């Protein structure tokens, strides 16, 4: 069979679905972004909203870096009436302009100095964009999760991590999989170092914006008296994985009256007792889960016959099983790092310095949150099979990649989409 090829000069956009994303961006985010970040240019230059819109367009079209904007997208996006698209260089300059200075802290014992970057007012922007899309609401309270990641980055100021690669150590706060706060730090920083100050800045920002915190969850990287005291100051209930230590182990092994349960399809035993591990932390309890080690499994000298896991909490209302199930729900927040690394560019940071890369991380967190807003629209799942939990690749294949062309008909701009899929219904519903 001979394949004949006919070359047409019509400007067809193969990423026609991105027009819907741009409409939503203009309606929901452009105003709040320019209000908070202010004018970047008083003449014909690009404001910050087109710069952030360009970042969102790159990743929601399947791109992996800012250079894809020049290579594949810019000439297609400008076909949309009234749309101005900055170049990749302009986007990267905008990121540098938004960078703020690092905060340096000295460790009392070692005397070493470690750098942190709070992102300036970008974390406020991050939360305000969630308010603008209705993903968060003032006056409501939410379950908050906090975690760290060690991010590989061969950059000028990257420091050696305990995982034997150079990079940064961002701390990330999430609510139901949505990123609400990011602070970056040197890769060689201990996860507990100045964490209490990081959390205090986050809590104060949430308080300022009128958003409540129903509960706080974190792993053993937050198991420290100064951190727990700050958490107790701002929350009614918290759940923090306890670090394994001899004093806790001794108390756990002396407990009697364990209750049998099945959690995660595995049989275990539960027990709880008043917590006395920190001098100035009162009215808390330790909830312990133990599982018998299977025959033939190498025995940990610390655990002995059982594997123990303990949660420090201020919650006296829930049962032991309910405490553990509620804590285990934070596992979804850890998937955020995988999504940001692979779908939103964290694995390939574009700048040479931590403060600039922190800006990029927060702006791509806005992109990720906005993506969750788009795929959570009910018609998206019903008409296109894109569920609220779908990864970007599925969204690109099922929704973004469709041929489209802007035409002028009857003094109106009309988007022709060449498909049988019901894009017209989605656009009509706004």
């Amino acid at each position: 069979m001979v394949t004949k090829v006919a070359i047409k000069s019509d400007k067809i956009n193969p990423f026609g679905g991105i027009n819907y994303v741009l409409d939503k961006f203009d309606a929901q985010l452009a105003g709040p972004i320019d209000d908070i970040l202010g004018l970047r240019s008083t003449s014909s230059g690009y404001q910050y909203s087109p710069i952030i819109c360009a970042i969102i367009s790159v990743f929601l079209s399947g791109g992996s870096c800012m250079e894809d904007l020049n290579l594949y997208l810019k000439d297609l996006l400008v076909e949309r009436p009234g749309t101005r698209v900055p170049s990749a260089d302009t986007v990267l300059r905008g990121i540098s302009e938004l960078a703020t200075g690092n905060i340096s802290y000295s460790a009392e014992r070692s005397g070493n100095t470690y750098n942190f970057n709070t992102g300036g007012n970008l974390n406020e922007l991050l939360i305000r964009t969630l308010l603008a899309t209705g993903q968060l609401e003032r006056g409501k309270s939410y379950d908050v999760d906090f975690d760290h990641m060690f991010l590989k980055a061969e950059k000028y100021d990257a420091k050696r991590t305990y995982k034997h690669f150079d990079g940064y150590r961002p701390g990330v706060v999430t609510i139901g999989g949505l990123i609400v706060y990011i602070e970056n730090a040197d890769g060689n920083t201990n996860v507990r170092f100045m964490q209490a100050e990081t959390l205090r800045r986050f809590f104060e920002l949430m308080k300022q914006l009128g958003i409540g915190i129903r509960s706080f969850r974190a792993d053993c990287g937050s198991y420290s008296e100064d951190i727990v005291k700050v958490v107790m100051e701002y929350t009614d209930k918290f759940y923090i994985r306890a670090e394994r230590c001899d004093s806790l182990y001794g108390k756990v092994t002396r407990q009697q009256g364990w209750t049998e349960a099945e959690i995660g399809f595995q049989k275990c035993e539960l027990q709880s007792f008043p917590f006395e591990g920190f001098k100035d932390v009162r009215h808390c309890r330790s909830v312990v889960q133990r599982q018998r080690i299977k025959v033939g499994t190498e025995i940990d000298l610390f655990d002995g016959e059982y594997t123990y896991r303990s949660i420090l909490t201020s919650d006296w209302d829930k049962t032991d099983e309910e405490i553990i199930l509620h804590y285990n729900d934070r596992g979804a927040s850890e998937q955020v790092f995988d999504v940001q690394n692979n779908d939103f560019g964290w694995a390939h940071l574009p700048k040479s310095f931590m403060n600039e890369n922190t800006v990029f991380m927060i702006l791509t967190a806005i992109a990720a949150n906005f993506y969750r807003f788009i795929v959570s629209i009910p018609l998206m799942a019903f008409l296109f099979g894109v569920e609220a939990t779908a990864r970007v690749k599925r969204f690109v294949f099922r929704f973004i990649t469709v041929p489209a062309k802007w035409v002028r008909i009857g003094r109106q701009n009309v988007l022709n989409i060449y498909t049988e899929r019901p894009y017209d219904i989605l656009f009509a519903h706004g």
Side-chain angles (χ1 to χ4, degrees):
M1 181 183 73
V2 177
T3 301
K4 292 186 177 181
V5 177
I7 304 297
K8 303 293 184 180
S9 60
D10 292 350
K11 285 192 175 182
I12 304 294
N13 185 350
F15 306 110
I18 199 65
N19 289 282
Y20 181 75
V21 174
L22 298 178
D23 285 353
K24 284 294 185 182
F25 179 88
D26 288 345
Q28 304 286 341
L29 298 189
I33 288 172
D34 289 332
D35 286 345
I36 294 170
L37 298 184
L39 292 177
R40 178 174 178 266
S41 173
T42 56
S43 57
S44 60
Y46 292 97
Q47 306 301 341
Y48 286 112
S49 57
I51 288 175
I52 297 176
C53 185
I55 294 173
I56 292 175
S57 299
V58 166
F59 291 106
L60 296 197
S61 298
S64 58
C65 61
M66 285 303 102
E67 284 71 18
D68 290 337
L69 183 63
N70 290 350
L71 293 174
Y72 307 112
L73 280 177
K74 183 176 170 64
D75 291 341
L76 300 174
L77 295 177
V78 294
E79 292 296 314
R80 178 174 177 263
T83 300
R84 299 183 67 222
V85 182
S87 67
D89 290 340
T90 301
V91 172
L92 294 175
R93 281 198 300 273
I95 289 173
S96 298
E97 292 164 5
L98 291 170
T100 58
N102 296 329
I103 301 174
S104 295
Y105 296 105
S106 296
E108 291 184 3
R109 293 184 179 179
S110 65
N112 294 333
T113 299
Y114 302 97
N115 292 316
F116 283 66
N117 191 271
T118 65
N121 63 346
L122 290 179
N123 273 306
E124 179 183 350
L125 175 65
L126 180 56
I127 298 175
R128 286 189 181 273
T129 54
L130 290 169
L131 292 171
T133 57
Q135 291 165 285
L136 294 182
E137 296 182 32
R138 296 181 191 273
K140 285 194 173 182
S141 297
Y142 298 90
D143 295 326
V144 167
D145 298 307
F146 179 73
D147 206 351
H148 294 94
M149 74 174 297
F150 287 88
L151 185 60
K152 187 175 183 180
E154 296 180 357
K155 303 299 179 180
Y156 181 81
D157 60 353
K159 301 293 175 60
R160 198 71 174 173
T161 72
Y162 83 98
K163 293 191 174 184
H164 309 296
F165 58 72
D166 293 340
Y168 305 127
R169 186 204 49 71
V172 180
V173 183
T174 60
I175 295 177
L178 300 170
I179 301 176
V180 296
Y181 193 83
I182 299 173
E183 276 197 16
N184 214 348
D186 286 338
N188 60 345
T189 309
N190 185 286
V191 294
R192 293 177 190 159
F193 181 69
M194 301 307 295
Q195 185 187 140
E197 293 305 310
T198 292
L199 292 177
R200 187 181 297 278
R201 284 189 283 267
F202 163 70
F203 290 138
E204 285 292 337
L205 180 58
M206 292 286 278
K207 183 179 178 180
Q208 172 191 330
L209 296 176
I211 304 171
I213 300 173
R214 184 166 50 228
S215 70
F216 175 88
R217 299 179 292 199
D219 63 15
C220 59
S222 299
Y223 185 72
S224 174
E225 183 170 359
D226 63 328
I227 298 171
V228 171
K229 287 167 65 177
V230 170
V231 170
M232 292 182 70
E233 182 181 343
Y234 289 93
T235 65
D236 292 329
K237 296 179 180 179
F238 69 88
Y239 311 83
I240 296 176
R241 174 73 72 189
E243 187 177 47
R244 296 172 12 148
C245 59
D246 291 339
S247 59
L248 179 61
Y249 176 71
K251 189 163 187 175
V252 165
T253 55
R254 292 193 299 270
Q255 296 299 312
Q256 302 294 323
W258 292 81
T259 302
E260 293 185 354
E262 184 174 315
I263 297 176
F265 304 104
Q266 293 185 338
K267 292 184 179 180
C268 61
E269 294 178 316
L270 309 177
Q271 178 64 276
S272 64
F273 49 85
F275 176 79
E276 300 173 349
F278 297 147
K279 180 180 178 182
D280 294 326
V281 173
R282 298 285 186 268
H283 310 298
C284 294
R285 65 195 265 221
S286 292
V287 178
V288 183
Q289 173 186 0
R290 75 177 187 182
Q291 289 177 268
R292 190 179 296 274
I293 296 176
K294 295 180 180 179
V295 177
T297 302
E298 183 178 353
I299 296 178
D300 190 307
L301 294 177
F302 183 89
D303 290 325
E305 185 181 358
Y306 294 93
T307 296
Y308 295 93
R309 298 181 181 89
S310 178
I311 297 170
L312 170 61
T313 179
S314 57
D315 189 343
W316 289 87
D317 298 324
K318 292 185 178 67
T319 65
D320 295 348
E321 184 173 355
E322 289 172 339
I323 294 286
I324 293 172
L325 291 174
H326 181 68
Y327 177 83
N328 289 347
D329 283 342
R330 72 176 293 274
S333 68
E334 297 176 354
Q335 298 174 7
V336 168
F337 297 138
D338 176 54
V339 171
Q340 293 304 121
N341 279 336
N342 295 294
D343 293 352
F344 291 95
W346 283 18
H348 305 284
L349 299 175
K351 308 296 285 186
S352 297
F353 298 96
M354 182 173 69
N355 61 340
E356 296 175 327
N357 285 320
T358 302
V359 173
F360 176 80
M361 293 172 68
I362 296 176
L363 297 185
T364 49
I366 292 174
N369 291 340
F370 188 62
Y371 166 70
R372 288 298 168 203
F373 167 70
I374 295 292
V375 296
S376 295
I377 295 172
L379 287 176
M380 192 64 69
F382 179 72
L383 298 178
F384 299 93
V386 180
E387 301 83 4
T389 57
R391 294 291 288 265
V392 170
K393 182 178 179 180
R394 182 180 182 89
F395 176 69
V396 171
F397 282 160
R398 287 185 171 266
F399 183 78
I400 294 294
T401 52
V402 59
K405 179 183 178 182
W406 283 98
V407 297
R408 186 79 174 172
I409 300 176
R411 292 186 294 181
Q412 284 188 329
N413 296 308
V414 177
L415 179 65
N416 286 342
I417 300 181
Y418 303 98
T419 181
E420 294 181 351
R421 287 179 284 174
Y423 283 86
D424 55 332
I425 298 176
L426 187 64
F427 274 86
H429 281 75

